């Protein structure tokens, strides 16, 4: 049996099983050592191969596809530093719980650590940032090795999707020659053609007795809140809003919780907390006795501080992934179970909470805050806060809104308020970095309609080459570029109080004309001069194809002052409301 036959049979068995696990998308970065895997993948009729020449962007592109589909995506690269360039996206996938199957080609064992070109130590390259690692055996055609290849594939896909979802790394050593033998029988499986081994991941739930005990703990608790962070289960919105209605608890909905926009019940949704929880009177007035928390930690720092200040309350954290999402060490009970099933089951053991006074207090403060925040509509200058305030009105039904980190995600939290338009909100909040944002959004756009990306100039610059995927594959994306010529978030941080080296070290103005970069990728560029112009362009965007960039120039100092003045004004009104309620 020759080398080419062994190489081909082994890889074909793996790729066949890959498709049988449900993985249909693979992002390939060209390279020599990965040639056999790439060529076999390109032959499979049920596998969609996306070519992306930059491994760093390619990994984030795959991450975006996986986030949009909530299914694993495979990414493939050659040996050497190509694999190292995957690292940022793998870190993000780890902490944002996105399933990725990371496939790296490698030199065979005899060419490791002997000075061979394009060879680095790829064993456990990503350390604890992957859920599982396997250094694959060298290709063979024996039945035992074909079963091995298929079993490893099924196992890796299952581990990637098992809660908490995340990346898995398989390292493939290949000997030369690297060209496989392509023929009509390439994917013929003599054993178990419907899948060699099916792995069944069950839902984690609590026993009835445990849920009854939780219900007893909550019965009679009138001052409770529900905090919801980033969560991907589409059934969760109904389950948690039903629970909130049963308990008469306000639901503090992070913008990534998918609770601020949709056709579920919105009456108990609190969406302006990031503003009013900066007020000491409001925090004292709304002090809870019990906190139920679901999903990732919220974006809002004001909310995080509020939770920490109420560490004496009972804090129930529910997490299907069995993580320890408690940076302030305030949890009193950790429940490692499916969040939706927890809510659905708990509702059946609860009586209706007779008192709604605490909920009414939260709703009054929330409504007053929103009424006073509405003054931002009158701002005539191009403003970051006003942009997010009016986005819900200007985006189409069921649009996807992808938001960059630093100031955009925080302004989204403050100004993107509840609505019934079913706008899905996405962001890379695993590691909270700005790298790979463009590529992730474009990856998500492959399987979402009407995707709008809002990000700052530093974030855009950081991943400009990610636009190549949209150009090559005719992916439609609308990018609202907020250009305040630097790192706007630092104007809100203590560093801004030290002006001597502030611009050099933190402001970091780029002074870039982005129009040239956009047109390099055959994109359409518009410099926004007025709000009416932006509104008209966004209205037209619903049916436009290709890359569209709308650049809004803002002033960092004016933006900081506008935010602070708004917070000051709203805070005074809230204090007046609280004083009146306590008299």
């Amino acid at each position: 049996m020759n080398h080419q036959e062994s190489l081909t049979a082994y890889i074909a068995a793996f790729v066949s099983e890959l498709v049988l696990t449900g993985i249909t998308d693979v992002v390939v970065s060209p390279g020599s050592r990965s040639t056999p895997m790439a060529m076999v993948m390109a032959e499979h009729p049920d596998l969609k191969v996306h070519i992306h020449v930059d491994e760093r962007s390619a990994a984030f592109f795959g991450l975006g596809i996986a986030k949009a589909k909530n299914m694993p995506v495979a990414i493939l690269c050659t040996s050497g530093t190509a694999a190292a360039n995957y690292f940022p996206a793998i870190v993000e996938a780890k902490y944002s719980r996105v399933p990725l199957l990371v496939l790296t080609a490698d030199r065979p064992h005899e060419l490791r650590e002997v000075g061979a070109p394009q060879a680095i130590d790829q064993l456990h390259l990503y350390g604890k940032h992957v859920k599982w690692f396997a250094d694959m055996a060298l290709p063979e055609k024996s039945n035992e090795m074909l079963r091995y290849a298929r079993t490893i594939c099924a196992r890796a896909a299952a581990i990637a999707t098992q809660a908490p979802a995340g990346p898995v790394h398989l390292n493939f050593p290949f000997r030369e020659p690297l060209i496989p033998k392509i023929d009509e029988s390439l994917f013929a499986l003599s054993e178990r053609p419907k899948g060699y081994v099916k792995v069944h991941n069950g839902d984690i739930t609590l026993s009835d007795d445990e849920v009854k005990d939780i219900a007893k703990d909550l019965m009679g608790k009138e001052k409770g809140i529900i905090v919801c962070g980033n969560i991907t289960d589409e059934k969760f919105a109904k389950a948690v809003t039903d629970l909130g209605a049963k308990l008469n608890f306000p639901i503090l909905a992070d913008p990534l919780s998918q609770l601020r926009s949709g056709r579920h019940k919105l009456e108990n949704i609190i969406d302006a907390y990031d503003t009013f929880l900066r007020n000491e009177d409001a925090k004292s007035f709304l002090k809870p006795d019990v906190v139920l928390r679901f999903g990732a930690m919220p974006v809002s720092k004001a909310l995080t501080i509020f939770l920490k200040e109420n560490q004496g309350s009972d804090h129930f954290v529910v997490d299907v992934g069995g993580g320890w999402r408690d940076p302030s060490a305030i949890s009193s009970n950790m429940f490692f179970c499916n969040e939706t099933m927890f809510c659905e089951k708990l509702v059946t053991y609860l009586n209706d909470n007779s008192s709604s006074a605490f909920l009414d207090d939260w709703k009054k403060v929330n409504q007053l805050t929103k009424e006073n925040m509405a003054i931002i509509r009158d701002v005539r200058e191009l403003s970051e806060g006003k942009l997010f305030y009016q986005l819900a009105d200007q985006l189409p039904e069921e649009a996807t809104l992808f938001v960059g980190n630093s100031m955009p995600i925080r302004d989204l939290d403050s100004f993107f308020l509840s609505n019934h338009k079913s706008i899905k909100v996405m962001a890379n909040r695993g590691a909270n970095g700005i790298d790979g944002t463009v590529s992730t959004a474009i990856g998500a756009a492959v399987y979402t309609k009407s995707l709008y990306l809002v990000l700052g100039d530093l974030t855009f610059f950081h991943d400009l080459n990610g636009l190549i995927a949209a150009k090559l594959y005719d992916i439609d994306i609308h990018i609202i570029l907020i250009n305040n010529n630097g790192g706007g978030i630092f104007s809100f941080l203590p560093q801004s109080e030290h002006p001597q080296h502030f611009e050099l070290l933190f402001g970091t103005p780029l002074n870039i004309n982005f129009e040239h970069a956009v047109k390099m990728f055959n994109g359409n560029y518009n410099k926004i001069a007025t709000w009416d112009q932006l509104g008209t362009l966004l209205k037209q965007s619903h049916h436009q194809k290709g890359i569209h960039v709308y650049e809004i120039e803002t002033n960092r100092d004016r933006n900081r002052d506008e935010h602070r003045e708004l917070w000051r004004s709203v805070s005074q009104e809230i204090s007046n409301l609280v004083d009146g309620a306590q008299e």
Side-chain angles (χ1 to χ4, degrees), residues 211-275:
V211 178
K212 287 178 183 177
D213 288 340
I214 299 167
K216 288 179 183 178
D217 288 341
L218 294 175
M219 295 292 277
K221 293 283 181 70
E222 297 178 356
K223 293 186 176 183
I225 63 173
I226 298 173
V227 177
C228 297
N230 186 4
I231 203 160
T232 58
D233 187 348
E234 293 181 354
K235 298 179 181 179
F236 177 72
K238 181 182 185 305
V240 76
T241 50
D242 286 348
L243 177 62
K246 192 83 168 182
L247 290 167
N248 272 335
F249 285 4
I251 301 173
L252 283 63
D254 183 270
L256 299 175
S257 68
Q258 314 308 329
L259 292 175
R260 292 195 190 181
S261 185
R263 294 178 177 86
H264 50 274
K265 301 171 186 174
L266 295 177
E267 55 265 30
N268 292 345
I269 297 294
I270 305 298
D271 48 9
Y273 56 80
D274 183 65
T275 297

Side-chain angles (χ1 to χ4, degrees), residues 6 31-32 74 89 108 130 159 168 215 229 247 276 281 287 294 316 329 345 360 362 364 385 431 436 463 485 530 550:
S6 296
S32 176
V130 292
I159 292 173
V168 168
L247 290 167
F276 66 73
D281 292 329
K287 185 179 178 65
F294 301 91
F316 296 174
K345 209 168 187 179
D360 291 341
W362 274 87
K364 287 175 185 176
D463 194 27
N485 202 23
T530 66
Y550 317 98

Side-chain angles (χ1 to χ4, degrees), residues 167 305 338 352 380 449 466 473 475 544:
I305 292 173
N338 181 283
D352 292 335
R380 302 187 66 179
K449 63 179 182 180
Y473 294 105
I475 300 169
Q544 291 177 330

Side-chain angles (χ1 to χ4, degrees), residues 96-116:
S96 58
R97 300 183 176 183
V98 176
L100 281 182
L101 198 58
V102 183
L103 311 177
T104 57
D106 198 356
R107 294 300 199 255
H109 300 75
E110 68 270 16
L111 293 182
R112 296 175 183 175
E113 304 295 339
V114 293

Side-chain angles (χ1 to χ4, degrees), residues 29-51:
S29 295
S32 176
R33 190 60 53 168
S34 55
T35 293
M37 183 73 78
M39 289 184 66
V40 172
M41 284 178 163
E43 287 292 323
H44 201 293
D46 298 323
L47 198 58
K48 187 174 182 180
V49 176
H50 311 264
I51 302 299

